[in-house]
PDB file of all heavy atoms in Angstrom:
ATOM      1  N   TRP H   1     128.073 100.077  92.481  1.00 98.00           N
ATOM      2  CA  TRP H   1     127.119 100.913  91.811  1.00 98.00           C
ATOM      3  C   TRP H   1     126.471 100.100  90.683  1.00 98.00           C
ATOM      4  O   TRP H   1     127.102  99.367  89.893  1.00 98.00           O
ATOM      5  CB  TRP H   1     127.830 102.126  91.195  1.00 98.00           C
ATOM      6  CG  TRP H   1     126.943 103.106  90.567  1.00 98.00           C
ATOM      7  CD1 TRP H   1     125.978 103.847  91.128  1.00 98.00           C
ATOM      8  CD2 TRP H   1     127.002 103.517  89.154  1.00 98.00           C
ATOM      9  NE1 TRP H   1     125.395 104.732  90.188  1.00 98.00           N
ATOM     10  CE2 TRP H   1     126.111 104.507  88.981  1.00 98.00           C
ATOM     11  CE3 TRP H   1     127.829 103.169  88.084  1.00 98.00           C
ATOM     12  CZ2 TRP H   1     125.893 105.152  87.730  1.00 98.00           C
ATOM     13  CZ3 TRP H   1     127.641 103.837  86.876  1.00 98.00           C
ATOM     14  CH2 TRP H   1     126.717 104.780  86.730  1.00 98.00           C
ATOM     15  N   GLY H   2     125.162 100.242  90.645  1.00 97.00           N
ATOM     16  CA  GLY H   2     124.371  99.542  89.540  1.00 97.00           C
ATOM     17  C   GLY H   2     124.058  98.060  89.897  1.00 97.00           C
ATOM     18  O   GLY H   2     123.332  97.378  89.197  1.00 97.00           O
ATOM     19  N   HIS H   3     124.546  97.633  91.023  1.00 98.00           N
ATOM     20  CA  HIS H   3     124.313  96.302  91.528  1.00 98.00           C
ATOM     21  C   HIS H   3     123.237  96.224  92.623  1.00 98.00           C
ATOM     22  O   HIS H   3     122.399  95.306  92.646  1.00 98.00           O
ATOM     23  CB  HIS H   3     125.596  95.559  91.919  1.00 98.00           C
ATOM     24  CG  HIS H   3     125.449  94.142  92.309  1.00 98.00           C
ATOM     25  ND1 HIS H   3     125.394  93.199  91.391  1.00 98.00           N
ATOM     26  CD2 HIS H   3     125.396  93.603  93.542  1.00 98.00           C
ATOM     27  CE1 HIS H   3     125.243  91.978  92.062  1.00 98.00           C
ATOM     28  NE2 HIS H   3     125.231  92.217  93.333  1.00 98.00           N
ATOM     29  N   THR H   4     123.356  97.161  93.543  1.00 98.00           N
ATOM     30  CA  THR H   4     122.463  97.197  94.737  1.00 98.00           C
ATOM     31  C   THR H   4     121.801  98.581  94.785  1.00 98.00           C
ATOM     32  O   THR H   4     122.455  99.563  94.752  1.00 98.00           O
ATOM     33  CB  THR H   4     123.300  96.958  96.010  1.00 98.00           C
ATOM     34  OG1 THR H   4     124.095  95.826  95.907  1.00 98.00           O
ATOM     35  CG2 THR H   4     122.381  96.916  97.199  1.00 98.00           C
ATOM     36  N   LYS H   5     120.463  98.572  94.794  1.00 98.00           N
ATOM     37  CA  LYS H   5     119.696  99.828  94.837  1.00 98.00           C
ATOM     38  C   LYS H   5     120.086 100.656  96.029  1.00 98.00           C
ATOM     39  O   LYS H   5     120.176 100.098  97.132  1.00 98.00           O
ATOM     40  CB  LYS H   5     118.211  99.550  94.837  1.00 98.00           C
ATOM     41  CG  LYS H   5     117.685  99.006  93.464  1.00 98.00           C
ATOM     42  CD  LYS H   5     116.228  98.791  93.547  1.00 98.00           C
ATOM     43  CE  LYS H   5     115.709  98.229  92.221  1.00 98.00           C
ATOM     44  NZ  LYS H   5     114.201  97.973  92.236  1.00 98.00           N
ATOM     45  N   GLY H   6     120.358 101.891  95.842  1.00 98.00           N
ATOM     46  CA  GLY H   6     120.724 102.777  96.935  1.00 98.00           C
ATOM     47  C   GLY H   6     122.167 103.012  97.077  1.00 98.00           C
ATOM     48  O   GLY H   6     122.601 103.921  97.801  1.00 98.00           O
ATOM     49  N   VAL H   7     123.037 102.249  96.290  1.00 98.00           N
ATOM     50  CA  VAL H   7     124.426 102.469  96.295  1.00 98.00           C
ATOM     51  C   VAL H   7     124.792 103.523  95.218  1.00 98.00           C
ATOM     52  O   VAL H   7     124.496 103.315  94.049  1.00 98.00           O
ATOM     53  CB  VAL H   7     125.221 101.125  96.036  1.00 98.00           C
ATOM     54  CG1 VAL H   7     126.679 101.395  95.836  1.00 98.00           C
ATOM     55  CG2 VAL H   7     125.031 100.211  97.229  1.00 98.00           C
ATOM     56  N   GLU H   8     125.429 104.635  95.590  1.00 98.00           N
ATOM     57  CA  GLU H   8     125.611 105.765  94.668  1.00 98.00           C
ATOM     58  C   GLU H   8     126.981 105.584  93.925  1.00 98.00           C
ATOM     59  O   GLU H   8     127.078 106.231  92.888  1.00 98.00           O
ATOM     60  CB  GLU H   8     125.683 107.052  95.493  1.00 98.00           C
ATOM     61  CG  GLU H   8     124.423 107.325  96.248  1.00 98.00           C
ATOM     62  CD  GLU H   8     123.304 107.850  95.320  1.00 98.00           C
ATOM     63  OE1 GLU H   8     123.507 107.951  94.102  1.00 98.00           O
ATOM     64  OE2 GLU H   8     122.168 108.132  95.861  1.00 98.00           O
ATOM     65  N   THR H   9     127.882 104.867  94.401  1.00 98.00           N
ATOM     66  CA  THR H   9     129.177 104.638  93.686  1.00 98.00           C
ATOM     67  C   THR H   9     129.862 103.410  94.214  1.00 98.00           C
ATOM     68  O   THR H   9     129.605 103.019  95.480  1.00 98.00           O
ATOM     69  CB  THR H   9     130.142 105.848  93.820  1.00 98.00           C
ATOM     70  OG1 THR H   9     131.273 105.602  93.060  1.00 98.00           O
ATOM     71  CG2 THR H   9     130.489 106.118  95.195  1.00 98.00           C
ATOM     72  N   THR H  10     130.657 102.752  93.434  1.00 98.00           N
ATOM     73  CA  THR H  10     131.428 101.623  93.973  1.00 98.00           C
ATOM     74  C   THR H  10     132.563 102.138  94.829  1.00 98.00           C
ATOM     75  O   THR H  10     133.227 103.073  94.456  1.00 98.00           O
ATOM     76  CB  THR H  10     132.036 100.785  92.763  1.00 98.00           C
ATOM     77  OG1 THR H  10     130.881 100.258  91.988  1.00 98.00           O
ATOM     78  CG2 THR H  10     132.904  99.651  93.222  1.00 98.00           C
ATOM     79  N   THR H  11     132.701 101.527  95.979  1.00 98.00           N
ATOM     80  CA  THR H  11     133.767 101.877  96.905  1.00 98.00           C
ATOM     81  C   THR H  11     134.468 100.655  97.325  1.00 98.00           C
ATOM     82  O   THR H  11     134.089  99.554  97.109  1.00 98.00           O
ATOM     83  CB  THR H  11     133.274 102.684  98.104  1.00 98.00           C
ATOM     84  OG1 THR H  11     132.287 101.935  98.779  1.00 98.00           O
ATOM     85  CG2 THR H  11     132.664 104.004  97.669  1.00 98.00           C
ATOM     86  N   GLY H  12     135.575 100.806  98.005  1.00 95.00           N
ATOM     87  CA  GLY H  12     136.387  99.720  98.456  1.00 95.00           C
ATOM     88  C   GLY H  12     137.872 100.124  98.494  1.00 95.00           C
ATOM     89  O   GLY H  12     138.479 100.190  99.528  1.00 95.00           O
ATOM     90  N   PRO H  13     138.443 100.441  97.296  1.00 98.00           N
ATOM     91  CA  PRO H  13     139.847 100.949  97.276  1.00 98.00           C
ATOM     92  C   PRO H  13     139.821 102.280  98.141  1.00 98.00           C
ATOM     93  O   PRO H  13     139.061 103.211  97.814  1.00 98.00           O
ATOM     94  CB  PRO H  13     140.110 101.247  95.864  1.00 98.00           C
ATOM     95  CG  PRO H  13     139.188 100.291  95.100  1.00 98.00           C
ATOM     96  CD  PRO H  13     137.955 100.251  95.949  1.00 98.00           C
ATOM     97  N   LEU H  14     140.529 102.348  99.253  1.00 98.00           N
ATOM     98  CA  LEU H  14     140.356 103.364 100.173  1.00 98.00           C
ATOM     99  C   LEU H  14     140.705 104.745  99.596  1.00 98.00           C
ATOM    100  O   LEU H  14     141.643 104.886  98.836  1.00 98.00           O
ATOM    101  CB  LEU H  14     141.199 103.076 101.418  1.00 98.00           C
ATOM    102  CG  LEU H  14     140.718 101.897 102.257  1.00 98.00           C
ATOM    103  CD1 LEU H  14     141.684 101.488 103.356  1.00 98.00           C
ATOM    104  CD2 LEU H  14     139.360 102.228 102.865  1.00 98.00           C
ATOM    105  N   GLY H  15     139.963 105.730 100.009  1.00 98.00           N
ATOM    106  CA  GLY H  15     140.104 107.047  99.510  1.00 98.00           C
ATOM    107  C   GLY H  15     139.249 107.416  98.360  1.00 98.00           C
ATOM    108  O   GLY H  15     138.922 108.574  98.058  1.00 98.00           O
ATOM    109  N   GLN H  16     138.871 106.343  97.498  1.00 98.00           N
ATOM    110  CA  GLN H  16     138.127 106.666  96.287  1.00 98.00           C
ATOM    111  C   GLN H  16     136.776 107.219  96.628  1.00 98.00           C
ATOM    112  O   GLN H  16     136.212 108.061  95.837  1.00 98.00           O
ATOM    113  CB  GLN H  16     137.979 105.328  95.525  1.00 98.00           C
ATOM    114  CG  GLN H  16     139.244 104.835  94.848  1.00 98.00           C
ATOM    115  CD  GLN H  16     139.704 105.693  93.735  1.00 98.00           C
ATOM    116  OE1 GLN H  16     138.910 106.337  92.975  1.00 98.00           O
ATOM    117  NE2 GLN H  16     140.933 105.727  93.349  1.00 98.00           N
ATOM    118  N   GLY H  17     136.136 106.721  97.661  1.00 98.00           N
ATOM    119  CA  GLY H  17     134.764 107.197  97.989  1.00 98.00           C
ATOM    120  C   GLY H  17     134.742 108.631  98.319  1.00 98.00           C
ATOM    121  O   GLY H  17     133.938 109.429  97.820  1.00 98.00           O
ATOM    122  N   VAL H  18     135.714 109.130  99.126  1.00 98.00           N
ATOM    123  CA  VAL H  18     135.855 110.528  99.382  1.00 98.00           C
ATOM    124  C   VAL H  18     136.000 111.329  98.148  1.00 98.00           C
ATOM    125  O   VAL H  18     135.347 112.394  97.952  1.00 98.00           O
ATOM    126  CB  VAL H  18     137.012 110.803 100.404  1.00 98.00           C
ATOM    127  CG1 VAL H  18     137.239 112.286 100.587  1.00 98.00           C
ATOM    128  CG2 VAL H  18     136.722 110.167 101.761  1.00 98.00           C
ATOM    129  N   ALA H  19     136.992 110.938  97.324  1.00 98.00           N
ATOM    130  CA  ALA H  19     137.219 111.675  96.139  1.00 98.00           C
ATOM    131  C   ALA H  19     136.095 111.652  95.133  1.00 98.00           C
ATOM    132  O   ALA H  19     135.813 112.668  94.495  1.00 98.00           O
ATOM    133  CB  ALA H  19     138.518 111.089  95.466  1.00 98.00           C
ATOM    134  N   THR H  20     135.427 110.536  94.987  1.00 98.00           N
ATOM    135  CA  THR H  20     134.321 110.464  94.104  1.00 98.00           C
ATOM    136  C   THR H  20     133.160 111.324  94.576  1.00 98.00           C
ATOM    137  O   THR H  20     132.430 111.971  93.824  1.00 98.00           O
ATOM    138  CB  THR H  20     133.804 108.968  93.965  1.00 98.00           C
ATOM    139  OG1 THR H  20     134.893 108.193  93.468  1.00 98.00           O
ATOM    140  CG2 THR H  20     132.684 108.855  92.978  1.00 98.00           C
ATOM    141  N   ALA H  21     133.019 111.372  95.956  1.00 99.00           N
ATOM    142  CA  ALA H  21     131.950 112.232  96.501  1.00 99.00           C
ATOM    143  C   ALA H  21     132.182 113.690  96.204  1.00 99.00           C
ATOM    144  O   ALA H  21     131.193 114.424  96.018  1.00 99.00           O
ATOM    145  CB  ALA H  21     131.899 111.990  97.967  1.00 99.00           C
ATOM    146  N   VAL H  22     133.439 114.069  96.124  1.00 99.00           N
ATOM    147  CA  VAL H  22     133.747 115.489  95.758  1.00 99.00           C
ATOM    148  C   VAL H  22     133.206 115.732  94.345  1.00 99.00           C
ATOM    149  O   VAL H  22     132.613 116.752  94.006  1.00 99.00           O
ATOM    150  CB  VAL H  22     135.254 115.773  95.850  1.00 99.00           C
ATOM    151  CG1 VAL H  22     135.628 117.113  95.229  1.00 99.00           C
ATOM    152  CG2 VAL H  22     135.699 115.710  97.297  1.00 99.00           C
ATOM    153  N   GLY H  23     133.379 114.742  93.435  1.00 99.00           N
ATOM    154  CA  GLY H  23     132.827 114.874  92.143  1.00 99.00           C
ATOM    155  C   GLY H  23     131.363 114.944  92.087  1.00 99.00           C
ATOM    156  O   GLY H  23     130.722 115.758  91.309  1.00 99.00           O
ATOM    157  N   ILE H  24     130.723 114.180  92.907  1.00 98.00           N
ATOM    158  CA  ILE H  24     129.215 114.187  92.955  1.00 98.00           C
ATOM    159  C   ILE H  24     128.742 115.566  93.446  1.00 98.00           C
ATOM    160  O   ILE H  24     127.776 116.151  92.905  1.00 98.00           O
ATOM    161  CB  ILE H  24     128.735 113.084  93.921  1.00 98.00           C
ATOM    162  CG1 ILE H  24     129.058 111.713  93.307  1.00 98.00           C
ATOM    163  CG2 ILE H  24     127.205 113.219  94.117  1.00 98.00           C
ATOM    164  CD1 ILE H  24     128.718 110.536  94.257  1.00 98.00           C
ATOM    165  N   ALA H  25     129.462 116.100  94.422  1.00 98.00           N
ATOM    166  CA  ALA H  25     129.081 117.462  94.977  1.00 98.00           C
ATOM    167  C   ALA H  25     129.355 118.533  93.915  1.00 98.00           C
ATOM    168  O   ALA H  25     128.491 119.455  93.725  1.00 98.00           O
ATOM    169  CB  ALA H  25     129.895 117.738  96.221  1.00 98.00           C
ATOM    170  N   MET H  26     130.422 118.390  93.124  1.00 98.00           N
ATOM    171  CA  MET H  26     130.649 119.365  92.084  1.00 98.00           C
ATOM    172  C   MET H  26     129.580 119.262  90.959  1.00 98.00           C
ATOM    173  O   MET H  26     129.115 120.242  90.452  1.00 98.00           O
ATOM    174  CB  MET H  26     132.089 119.151  91.504  1.00 98.00           C
ATOM    175  CG  MET H  26     133.206 119.560  92.466  1.00 98.00           C
ATOM    176  SD  MET H  26     134.854 119.010  91.986  1.00 98.00           S
ATOM    177  CE  MET H  26     135.182 120.020  90.572  1.00 98.00           C
ATOM    178  N   ALA H  27     129.221 118.040  90.677  1.00 98.00           N
ATOM    179  CA  ALA H  27     128.140 117.822  89.693  1.00 98.00           C
ATOM    180  C   ALA H  27     126.874 118.459  90.103  1.00 98.00           C
ATOM    181  O   ALA H  27     126.101 119.080  89.269  1.00 98.00           O
ATOM    182  CB  ALA H  27     127.981 116.274  89.417  1.00 98.00           C
ATOM    183  N   GLN H  28     126.456 118.338  91.351  1.00 98.00           N
ATOM    184  CA  GLN H  28     125.259 118.967  91.858  1.00 98.00           C
ATOM    185  C   GLN H  28     125.319 120.484  91.564  1.00 98.00           C
ATOM    186  O   GLN H  28     124.293 121.100  91.161  1.00 98.00           O
ATOM    187  CB  GLN H  28     125.109 118.671  93.342  1.00 98.00           C
ATOM    188  CG  GLN H  28     123.824 119.271  93.945  1.00 98.00           C
ATOM    189  CD  GLN H  28     123.973 120.683  94.434  1.00 98.00           C
ATOM    190  OE1 GLN H  28     124.994 121.144  94.926  1.00 98.00           O
ATOM    191  NE2 GLN H  28     122.876 121.495  94.344  1.00 98.00           N
ATOM    192  N   ARG H  29     126.447 121.085  91.875  1.00 98.00           N
ATOM    193  CA  ARG H  29     126.506 122.573  91.692  1.00 98.00           C
ATOM    194  C   ARG H  29     126.434 122.926  90.208  1.00 98.00           C
ATOM    195  O   ARG H  29     125.844 123.964  89.816  1.00 98.00           O
ATOM    196  CB  ARG H  29     127.863 123.073  92.312  1.00 98.00           C
ATOM    197  CG  ARG H  29     127.813 124.577  92.507  1.00 98.00           C
ATOM    198  CD  ARG H  29     128.990 125.111  93.335  1.00 98.00           C
ATOM    199  NE  ARG H  29     130.123 125.286  92.559  1.00 98.00           N
ATOM    200  CZ  ARG H  29     131.389 125.441  93.126  1.00 98.00           C
ATOM    201  NH1 ARG H  29     131.578 125.319  94.389  1.00 98.00           N
ATOM    202  NH2 ARG H  29     132.443 125.707  92.277  1.00 98.00           N
ATOM    203  N   ARG H  30     127.095 122.148  89.348  1.00 98.00           N
ATOM    204  CA  ARG H  30     127.028 122.408  87.912  1.00 98.00           C
ATOM    205  C   ARG H  30     125.630 122.309  87.423  1.00 98.00           C
ATOM    206  O   ARG H  30     125.171 123.104  86.593  1.00 98.00           O
ATOM    207  CB  ARG H  30     127.987 121.499  87.159  1.00 98.00           C
ATOM    208  CG  ARG H  30     127.874 121.541  85.661  1.00 98.00           C
ATOM    209  CD  ARG H  30     128.364 122.884  85.111  1.00 98.00           C
ATOM    210  NE  ARG H  30     128.215 122.890  83.638  1.00 98.00           N
ATOM    211  CZ  ARG H  30     128.252 123.993  82.882  1.00 98.00           C
ATOM    212  NH1 ARG H  30     128.401 125.218  83.455  1.00 98.00           N
ATOM    213  NH2 ARG H  30     128.128 123.942  81.572  1.00 98.00           N
ATOM    214  N   VAL H  31     124.882 121.256  87.823  1.00 98.00           N
ATOM    215  CA  VAL H  31     123.526 121.039  87.428  1.00 98.00           C
ATOM    216  C   VAL H  31     122.629 122.186  87.864  1.00 98.00           C
ATOM    217  O   VAL H  31     121.810 122.659  87.113  1.00 98.00           O
ATOM    218  CB  VAL H  31     123.036 119.655  87.912  1.00 98.00           C
ATOM    219  CG1 VAL H  31     121.504 119.581  87.729  1.00 98.00           C
ATOM    220  CG2 VAL H  31     123.723 118.495  87.272  1.00 98.00           C
ATOM    221  N   ARG H  32     122.846 122.635  89.096  1.00 98.00           N
ATOM    222  CA  ARG H  32     122.070 123.782  89.563  1.00 98.00           C
ATOM    223  C   ARG H  32     122.349 125.026  88.707  1.00 98.00           C
ATOM    224  O   ARG H  32     121.442 125.709  88.364  1.00 98.00           O
ATOM    225  CB  ARG H  32     122.426 124.052  91.027  1.00 98.00           C
ATOM    226  CG  ARG H  32     121.506 125.024  91.692  1.00 98.00           C
ATOM    227  CD  ARG H  32     122.081 125.445  93.031  1.00 98.00           C
ATOM    228  NE  ARG H  32     121.087 125.918  93.978  1.00 98.00           N
ATOM    229  CZ  ARG H  32     120.628 127.124  94.057  1.00 98.00           C
ATOM    230  NH1 ARG H  32     121.008 128.077  93.145  1.00 98.00           N
ATOM    231  NH2 ARG H  32     119.719 127.569  94.912  1.00 98.00           N
ATOM    232  N   GLY H  33     123.586 125.174  88.300  1.00 98.00           N
ATOM    233  CA  GLY H  33     123.918 126.291  87.495  1.00 98.00           C
ATOM    234  C   GLY H  33     123.353 126.254  86.092  1.00 98.00           C
ATOM    235  O   GLY H  33     122.946 127.314  85.509  1.00 98.00           O
ATOM    236  N   LEU H  34     123.179 125.038  85.562  1.00 98.00           N
ATOM    237  CA  LEU H  34     122.495 124.818  84.318  1.00 98.00           C
ATOM    238  C   LEU H  34     121.034 125.073  84.354  1.00 98.00           C
ATOM    239  O   LEU H  34     120.423 125.663  83.411  1.00 98.00           O
ATOM    240  CB  LEU H  34     122.756 123.459  83.703  1.00 98.00           C
ATOM    241  CG  LEU H  34     124.207 123.113  83.221  1.00 98.00           C
ATOM    242  CD1 LEU H  34     124.240 121.645  82.832  1.00 98.00           C
ATOM    243  CD2 LEU H  34     124.530 123.971  81.970  1.00 98.00           C
ATOM    244  N   LEU H  35     120.376 124.661  85.459  1.00 98.00           N
ATOM    245  CA  LEU H  35     118.957 124.664  85.463  1.00 98.00           C
ATOM    246  C   LEU H  35     118.265 125.684  86.411  1.00 98.00           C
ATOM    247  O   LEU H  35     117.216 126.164  86.060  1.00 98.00           O
ATOM    248  CB  LEU H  35     118.478 123.244  86.003  1.00 98.00           C
ATOM    249  CG  LEU H  35     119.044 122.028  85.122  1.00 98.00           C
ATOM    250  CD1 LEU H  35     118.602 120.773  85.824  1.00 98.00           C
ATOM    251  CD2 LEU H  35     118.467 122.195  83.733  1.00 98.00           C
ATOM    252  N   ASP H  36     118.962 126.132  87.430  1.00 98.00           N
ATOM    253  CA  ASP H  36     118.332 127.049  88.392  1.00 98.00           C
ATOM    254  C   ASP H  36     119.286 127.927  89.097  1.00 98.00           C
ATOM    255  O   ASP H  36     119.344 127.912  90.324  1.00 98.00           O
ATOM    256  CB  ASP H  36     117.500 126.189  89.402  1.00 98.00           C
ATOM    257  CG  ASP H  36     116.382 126.950  90.037  1.00 98.00           C
ATOM    258  OD1 ASP H  36     116.007 128.000  89.572  1.00 98.00           O
ATOM    259  OD2 ASP H  36     115.869 126.438  91.132  1.00 98.00           O
ATOM    260  N   PRO H  37     120.065 128.675  88.349  1.00 97.00           N
ATOM    261  CA  PRO H  37     121.187 129.385  88.955  1.00 97.00           C
ATOM    262  C   PRO H  37     120.787 130.537  89.890  1.00 97.00           C
ATOM    263  O   PRO H  37     121.580 130.907  90.698  1.00 97.00           O
ATOM    264  CB  PRO H  37     121.949 129.945  87.735  1.00 97.00           C
ATOM    265  CG  PRO H  37     120.920 130.056  86.611  1.00 97.00           C
ATOM    266  CD  PRO H  37     119.995 128.960  86.870  1.00 97.00           C
ATOM    267  N   ASP H  38     119.593 131.032  89.712  1.00 96.00           N
ATOM    268  CA  ASP H  38     119.237 132.272  90.469  1.00 96.00           C
ATOM    269  C   ASP H  38     118.522 132.005  91.768  1.00 96.00           C
ATOM    270  O   ASP H  38     118.196 132.942  92.501  1.00 96.00           O
ATOM    271  CB  ASP H  38     118.402 133.241  89.608  1.00 96.00           C
ATOM    272  CG  ASP H  38     119.204 133.625  88.311  1.00 96.00           C
ATOM    273  OD1 ASP H  38     120.360 133.827  88.440  1.00 96.00           O
ATOM    274  OD2 ASP H  38     118.607 133.635  87.230  1.00 96.00           O
ATOM    275  N   ALA H  39     118.176 130.743  91.997  1.00 96.00           N
ATOM    276  CA  ALA H  39     117.444 130.426  93.275  1.00 96.00           C
ATOM    277  C   ALA H  39     118.286 130.684  94.493  1.00 96.00           C
ATOM    278  O   ALA H  39     119.514 130.568  94.427  1.00 96.00           O
ATOM    279  CB  ALA H  39     116.940 129.012  93.244  1.00 96.00           C
ATOM    280  N   ALA H  40     117.592 131.080  95.541  1.00 93.00           N
ATOM    281  CA  ALA H  40     118.329 131.246  96.798  1.00 93.00           C
ATOM    282  C   ALA H  40     118.852 129.956  97.343  1.00 93.00           C
ATOM    283  O   ALA H  40     118.267 128.885  97.009  1.00 93.00           O
ATOM    284  CB  ALA H  40     117.381 131.868  97.852  1.00 93.00           C
ATOM    285  N   PRO H  41     119.959 129.900  98.159  1.00 90.00           N
ATOM    286  CA  PRO H  41     120.462 128.687  98.720  1.00 90.00           C
ATOM    287  C   PRO H  41     119.410 127.870  99.439  1.00 90.00           C
ATOM    288  O   PRO H  41     118.673 128.399 100.235  1.00 90.00           O
ATOM    289  CB  PRO H  41     121.524 129.168  99.603  1.00 90.00           C
ATOM    290  CG  PRO H  41     121.942 130.430  99.077  1.00 90.00           C
ATOM    291  CD  PRO H  41     120.711 131.122  98.552  1.00 90.00           C
ATOM    292  N   GLY H  42     119.313 126.618  99.024  1.00 91.00           N
ATOM    293  CA  GLY H  42     118.320 125.721  99.669  1.00 91.00           C
ATOM    294  C   GLY H  42     116.934 125.769  99.048  1.00 91.00           C
ATOM    295  O   GLY H  42     116.047 125.020  99.545  1.00 91.00           O
ATOM    296  N   GLU H  43     116.708 126.682  98.095  1.00 95.00           N
ATOM    297  CA  GLU H  43     115.382 126.888  97.652  1.00 95.00           C
ATOM    298  C   GLU H  43     115.158 126.267  96.251  1.00 95.00           C
ATOM    299  O   GLU H  43     114.064 126.345  95.584  1.00 95.00           O
ATOM    300  CB  GLU H  43     115.085 128.378  97.494  1.00 95.00           C
ATOM    301  CG  GLU H  43     115.068 129.127  98.829  1.00 95.00           C
ATOM    302  CD  GLU H  43     114.050 128.544  99.810  1.00 95.00           C
ATOM    303  OE1 GLU H  43     112.902 128.245  99.305  1.00 95.00           O
ATOM    304  OE2 GLU H  43     114.301 128.384 100.994  1.00 95.00           O
ATOM    305  N   SER H  44     116.142 125.653  95.681  1.00 97.00           N
ATOM    306  CA  SER H  44     116.057 125.065  94.364  1.00 97.00           C
ATOM    307  C   SER H  44     115.752 123.531  94.445  1.00 97.00           C
ATOM    308  O   SER H  44     116.228 122.835  95.360  1.00 97.00           O
ATOM    309  CB  SER H  44     117.412 125.196  93.599  1.00 97.00           C
ATOM    310  OG  SER H  44     117.343 124.416  92.353  1.00 97.00           O
ATOM    311  N   PRO H  45     114.909 123.056  93.467  1.00 97.00           N
ATOM    312  CA  PRO H  45     114.707 121.618  93.389  1.00 97.00           C
ATOM    313  C   PRO H  45     115.970 120.775  93.209  1.00 97.00           C
ATOM    314  O   PRO H  45     116.051 119.585  93.432  1.00 97.00           O
ATOM    315  CB  PRO H  45     113.748 121.447  92.258  1.00 97.00           C
ATOM    316  CG  PRO H  45     113.142 122.744  91.983  1.00 97.00           C
ATOM    317  CD  PRO H  45     114.184 123.736  92.436  1.00 97.00           C
ATOM    318  N   PHE H  46     117.012 121.508  92.759  1.00 98.00           N
ATOM    319  CA  PHE H  46     118.270 120.771  92.446  1.00 98.00           C
ATOM    320  C   PHE H  46     119.343 120.934  93.500  1.00 98.00           C
ATOM    321  O   PHE H  46     120.526 120.618  93.349  1.00 98.00           O
ATOM    322  CB  PHE H  46     118.774 121.330  91.124  1.00 98.00           C
ATOM    323  CG  PHE H  46     117.717 121.355  90.057  1.00 98.00           C
ATOM    324  CD1 PHE H  46     117.110 122.521  89.648  1.00 98.00           C
ATOM    325  CD2 PHE H  46     117.290 120.141  89.542  1.00 98.00           C
ATOM    326  CE1 PHE H  46     116.084 122.478  88.665  1.00 98.00           C
ATOM    327  CE2 PHE H  46     116.223 120.101  88.616  1.00 98.00           C
ATOM    328  CZ  PHE H  46     115.644 121.278  88.185  1.00 98.00           C
ATOM    329  N   ASP H  47     118.861 121.402  94.652  1.00 97.00           N
ATOM    330  CA  ASP H  47     119.782 121.412  95.869  1.00 97.00           C
ATOM    331  C   ASP H  47     119.726 120.063  96.570  1.00 97.00           C
ATOM    332  O   ASP H  47     118.659 119.561  96.839  1.00 97.00           O
ATOM    333  CB  ASP H  47     119.338 122.572  96.819  1.00 97.00           C
ATOM    334  CG  ASP H  47     119.706 123.941  96.294  1.00 97.00           C
ATOM    335  OD1 ASP H  47     120.704 124.097  95.577  1.00 97.00           O
ATOM    336  OD2 ASP H  47     118.996 124.842  96.708  1.00 97.00           O
TER     337      ASP H  47
END
């Protein structure tokens, strides 16, 4: 991450990518809740 454009997180130690992706998915939901909580599923710019 931060070295090659398009890489969303550093991976390599096995299992870390799956677990980090869970965090990324949780962050997306939290951001949607902060910015656009009432939009229908799939209708928010933050989906």
Side-chain angles (χ1 to χ4, degrees):
W1 183 62
H3 184 77
T4 308
K5 290 181 179 178
V7 171
E8 301 284 1
T9 183
T10 298
T11 57
L14 290 171
Q16 289 288 333
V18 173
T20 304
V22 172
I24 296 172
M26 291 167 70
Q28 182 273 327
R29 196 169 86 193
R30 173 66 180 163
V31 168
R32 192 192 203 276
L34 285 174
L35 300 175
D36 201 17
D38 300 322
E43 298 299 320
S44 172
F46 310 106
D47 286 331

